[in-house]
Amino acid sequence: MSRLAKQSLLATIFIICFIAALINGKYSLTLNQLLSLLFSELGFQTAIEDPRHHTVFWQIRFPRTLAAIMIGGGLAIAGAAYQGMFRNPLVSPDILGVSAGAGVGAVIGIFLGQSLIYIQLAAFIGGLLTVTLVCLIARMARQHDPILSLVLVGVAISALCGSAISLMKILADPYTQLPSITFWLLGGLSSITQSDLLSALPIMLIGIIPLLLLRWRMNLLSLSDEEAKSLGINVSLIRGIFIVSATLITSSAVSIAGIIGWIGLIVPHITRMIVGANFRYQLPVSMMIGAIMLLITDTLARSVASIELPLGILTSAVGAPFFLAILLQARRVK
């Protein structure tokens, strides 16, 4: 199958998942009701059977579906960027501790009762400090394999961030702050509103646009630093732009949806199987596959059980076995 045919198939799957996410849930809609709601918003006269349809769709279902697209695509492109920058197929925002560091910042913001914009700022600072610390410590461990050092340091820093989050949970008010922090850490889109989207979308776009515009340079970063410099690339500057952009995307996603793990690890591997290792195609296709994956996961989370399942539980249930399979495959190849 040609690359164009694969991309067309992915686009078709995306549209199907998007429509399915809009009509499925505890309060289901039919296709006719969906079309009626869309046309009525455009100014056409339609017969809406129940006014609750309008409320459910425009205030709950539609913002949530857009959030799934935005966050799934953002985490996926951030994961692909991290793997390309560090030339390591096992790194991701989760493994490097970026998600956990952003979680610490966001929890501190929630603990202090700050508004969403300050929570996002705290999450970004926490994520950026974490990835910087991981890189510095991994460089100091020169006696070990660089890839292994990066992964192990990321796991250790993630554990440290986890302990900091646990400490904040102990200090939080058990009747007001603690429930908010606990449910937020599980990851989910149930509480996302239109205002959350409007505040997070510009920040995520600031991170996504540089990655897409400079994605062809990611192929050069997959070379050694000496080879990339010989081709006229300012390796430190480009890598710094990519790190800041990917961290900004991850932190913004964490600030409004909590910690949704494994998307940034799984999706780049799936993308490489479909379009290859060329980042010119890998980054945009990763965004589409990440959006599809989170649309499916979120639809299942609010449809398969009598209670809504946190997204973090579902993505971890899929991601952990996939990560183990990657490790075993890498061992066999070696």
Side-chain angles (χ1 to χ4, degrees):
M1 185 181 294
S2 66
R3 183 180 288 114
L4 180 59
K6 292 177 180 178
Q7 292 174 351
S8 300
L9 178 60
L10 284 175
T12 303
I13 295 173
F14 171 77
I15 294 172
I16 294 173
C17 292
F18 179 62
I19 295 174
L22 289 175
I23 64 176
N24 286 299
K26 296 300 180 185
Y27 195 90
S28 300
L29 300 171
T30 65
L31 282 175
N32 289 335
Q33 291 169 340
L34 174 61
L35 293 174
S36 178
L37 288 166
L38 293 175
F39 284 129
S40 65
E41 194 69 16
L42 295 174
F44 295 98
Q45 293 295 329
T46 58
I48 300 179
E49 300 175 0
D50 192 335
R52 290 177 297 178
H53 294 167
H54 189 277
T55 302
V56 168
F57 182 79
W58 290 112
Q59 296 186 16
I60 300 175
R61 189 72 52 77
F62 190 68
R64 180 171 182 161
T65 303
L66 289 183
I69 295 172
M70 181 177 70
I71 294 170
L75 291 176
I77 194 175
Y82 279 126
Q83 292 182 11
M85 279 184 292
F86 296 112
R87 300 188 291 272
N88 185 345
L90 296 180
V91 303
S92 70
D94 314 309
I95 302 300
L96 287 179
V98 180
S99 296
V104 172
V107 167
I108 292 175
I110 295 173
F111 180 79
L112 296 176
Q114 299 298 314
S115 62
L116 181 61
I117 186 65
Y118 290 106
I119 292 175
Q120 289 178 322
L121 179 61
F124 172 69
I125 294 173
L128 188 60
L129 289 177
T130 302
V131 72
T132 303
L133 184 61
V134 168
C135 293
L136 290 176
I137 297 177
R139 283 190 177 184
M140 294 171 61
R142 296 179 179 177
Q143 68 274 21
H144 300 290
D145 178 75
I147 293 177
L148 180 62
S149 297
L150 198 64
V151 173
L152 293 179
V153 172
V155 171
I157 297 300
S158 295
L160 185 62
C161 292
S163 65
I165 291 174
S166 298
L167 177 61
M168 297 300 296
K169 291 169 69 175
I170 293 175
L171 298 175
D173 186 289
Y175 299 104
T176 57
Q177 296 172 327
L178 183 58
S180 299
I181 293 174
T182 300
F183 284 106
W184 177 85
L185 288 173
L186 292 174
L189 307 176
S190 59
S191 61
I192 289 181
T193 63
Q194 294 180 2
S195 61
D196 295 336
L197 284 178
L198 292 176
S199 62
L201 182 58
I203 299 175
M204 294 194 74
L205 288 177
I206 292 173
I208 290 172
I209 290 174
L211 294 181
L212 292 178
L213 294 179
L214 299 174
R215 64 186 185 276
W216 61 275
R217 292 179 180 264
M218 186 74 73
N219 292 319
L220 300 179
L221 289 183
S222 63
L223 305 173
S224 65
D225 288 356
E226 291 76 14
E227 291 177 306
K229 289 178 181 178
S230 68
L231 295 174
I233 298 298
N234 189 332
V235 176
S236 300
L237 176 62
I238 296 300
R239 183 171 286 136
I241 292 174
F242 284 155
I243 289 175
V244 171
S245 298
T247 303
L248 186 61
I249 295 168
T250 304
S251 302
S252 183
V254 167
S255 67
I256 63 172
I259 298 177
I260 300 176
W262 301 99
I263 297 290
L265 175 65
I266 297 173
V267 172
H269 285 275
I270 297 174
T271 305
R272 282 191 289 271
M273 297 177 188
I274 296 175
V275 298
N278 190 336
F279 285 96
R280 179 182 175 186
Y281 306 105
Q282 188 181 146
L283 293 187
V285 174
S286 290
M287 286 189 64
M288 184 175 294
I289 296 177
I292 291 172
M293 179 173 290
L294 202 57
L295 279 173
I296 295 173
T297 306
D298 184 55
T299 303
L300 292 175
R302 50 189 163 88
S303 302
V304 297
S306 57
I307 60 172
E308 181 171 330
L309 299 175
L311 286 181
I313 295 176
L314 293 178
T315 55
S316 297
V318 175
F322 191 90
F323 181 69
L324 294 176
I326 294 172
L327 288 176
L328 294 175
Q329 183 67 26
R331 184 180 180 87
R332 285 197 296 268
V333 172
K334 185 176 179 180

